[in-house]
């Protein structure tokens, strides 16, 4: 596969932040088969990794990394032991570094939310 410089940059950033080798994924799909949140996702977890392998920056606009609950089910199921949630986290970090906040806490109706949900949103979804 021939990647241009910007493709390589995204791939390199994700690999650096996650500590994972994206190409150790061979797209068997077991991570997606066992993920409990795929119905809410716009890309399956293995599709997220495929986009990272291709350096496809559209992955930064996907909902899936924000839906991922870091439950580790995919990592347990992966025959290569790939840390998929770390890749999701790296994608979130790259988005947040571009000053993009997934939620605006000032606009959030917090009346019915437990405090832990607010703290979690603050840590995970804002830069
Ligand atoms: S289970 Fe592992 S090797 Fe298979 S698609 Fe998912 S990350 Fe890739
Ligand atoms: S860690 Fe994320 S991608 Fe993996 S199974 Fe859990 S919710 Fe799905």
């Amino acid at each position: 596969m021939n990647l241009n410089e910007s493709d390589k940059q995204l791939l390199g950033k994700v690999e650096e932040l996650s500590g994972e080798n994206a190409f150790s994924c061979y797209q068997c799909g077991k991570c997606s088969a066992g993920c409990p949140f795929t119905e809410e996702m716009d890309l399956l977890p293995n599709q997220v990794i495929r986009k990272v392998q291709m350096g496809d920056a559209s992955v930064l606009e996907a909902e899936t990394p924000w839906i991922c609950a870091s439950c580790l089910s995919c990592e347990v199921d992966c025959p290569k032991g790939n840390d998929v949630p770390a890749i999701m986290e790296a994608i979130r970090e790259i988005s947040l570094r571009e000053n993009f906040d997934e939620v605006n806490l000032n606009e959030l109706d917090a009346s019915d939310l437990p405090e832990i949900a607010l703290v979690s949103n603050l840590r995970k979804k804002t830069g």
Side-chain angles (χ1 to χ4, degrees):
M1 187 187 322
N2 290 325
L3 299 182
N4 65 32
E5 276 316 305
S6 108
D7 297 340
K8 281 187 203 157
Q9 245 183 10
L10 177 69
L11 172 65
K13 267 194 213 171
V14 172
E15 289 190 330
E16 183 188 347
L17 289 168
S18 66
E20 289 293 294
N21 172 5
F23 283 99
S24 79
C25 167
Y26 59 0
Q27 289 293 303
C28 69
K30 285 193 175 169
C31 51
S32 302
C35 173
F37 295 103
T38 50
E39 279 186 20
E40 312 300 326
M41 293 172 169
D42 52 357
L43 290 174
L44 294 172
N46 68 294
Q47 291 173 323
V48 167
I49 297 180
R50 186 65 185 139
K51 280 184 179 281
V52 170
Q53 289 173 337
M54 295 189 299
D56 181 346
S58 70
V59 75
L60 298 176
E61 282 151 33
E63 288 294 321
T64 294
W66 303 96
I67 302 288
C68 170
S70 302
C71 70
L72 306 182
S73 162
C74 50
E75 188 177 348
V76 172
D77 291 343
C78 176
K80 301 293 293 289
N82 291 330
D83 189 344
V84 182
I87 289 178
M88 300 289 187
E89 169 74 13
I91 293 167
R92 292 196 298 268
E93 279 183 45
I94 292 167
S95 297
L96 293 172
R97 284 177 185 187
E98 289 174 0
N99 238 355
F100 166 78
D101 290 341
E102 179 70 10
V103 293
N104 182 340
L105 292 181
N106 293 325
E107 291 175 3
L108 206 61
D109 177 8
S111 50
D112 290 335
L113 288 178
E115 281 177 23
I116 190 71
L118 283 175
V119 173
S120 156
N121 263 299
L122 183 65
R123 292 178 59 188
K124 181 177 168 186
K125 298 189 169 180
T126 61

